[in-house]
Amino acid sequence: QLQLKEFGGGWVQAGGSLRLSCAASGMPYTTYSMGWFRQAPGKEREFVASINWNGAMTYYADSVKGRFTISRDNAKKMLYLQMNSLKPEDTAVYYCAAGSVSNWYKEYNYWGQGTQATVSS
């Protein structure tokens, strides 16, 4: 069993930056590819970014490409999402997940509880 906990969300003005972190505990973290998803009120859960087990491969949704960067530190069992040039439409609850590099949320086995990121115009 793998436990995930996100933190680092908050409020920021448009154009600003936030860094989300996700701490993993439990089963060997390095065996899992990881991803970030987000969900805004009234909308479906949306893929943001994913990374393979050693960080060599990363994938991004078109809507965040060039603005967001996913990374991981396997020694610390941490996953990160650096979010720059934030827009109001980036406002959502952000979730980290483990188990795949897919952009389909059902391919992931473990989920954190989410952290809110709010971008004001």
Side-chain angles (χ1 to χ4, degrees), residues 15-82:
S17 298
L18 283 174
R19 189 194 195 203
L20 304 184
S21 301
C22 175
S25 62
M27 290 185 66
Y29 172 68
T30 55
T31 64
Y32 290 96
S33 295
M34 303 289 295
W36 287 98
F37 285 75
R38 66 187 181 186
Q39 189 165 17
K43 294 188 177 181
E44 294 186 352
R45 193 163 295 194
E46 176 188 25
F47 171 78
V48 176
S50 61
I51 188 168
N52 77 325
W53 72 274
N54 64 357
M57 302 295 291
T58 57
Y59 307 88
Y60 296 93
D62 288 343
S63 59
V64 306
K65 203 171 292 184
R67 300 188 298 122
F68 291 12
T69 302
I70 188 172
S71 61
R72 65 191 294 166
D73 184 332
N74 285 346
K76 296 181 179 179
K77 295 185 178 181
M78 294 292 295
L79 177 72
Y80 305 101
L81 185 69
Q82 178 66 43

Side-chain angles (χ1 to χ4, degrees), residues 69-102:
T69 302
I70 188 172
S71 61
R72 65 191 294 166
D73 184 332
N74 285 346
K76 296 181 179 179
K77 295 185 178 181
M78 294 292 295
L79 177 72
Y80 305 101
L81 185 69
Q82 178 66 43
M83 305 189 295
N84 299 329
S85 302
L86 283 161
K87 305 174 182 180
E89 51 264 43
D90 294 319
T91 296
V93 177
Y94 284 75
Y95 300 89
C96 71
S100 177
V101 290
S102 172

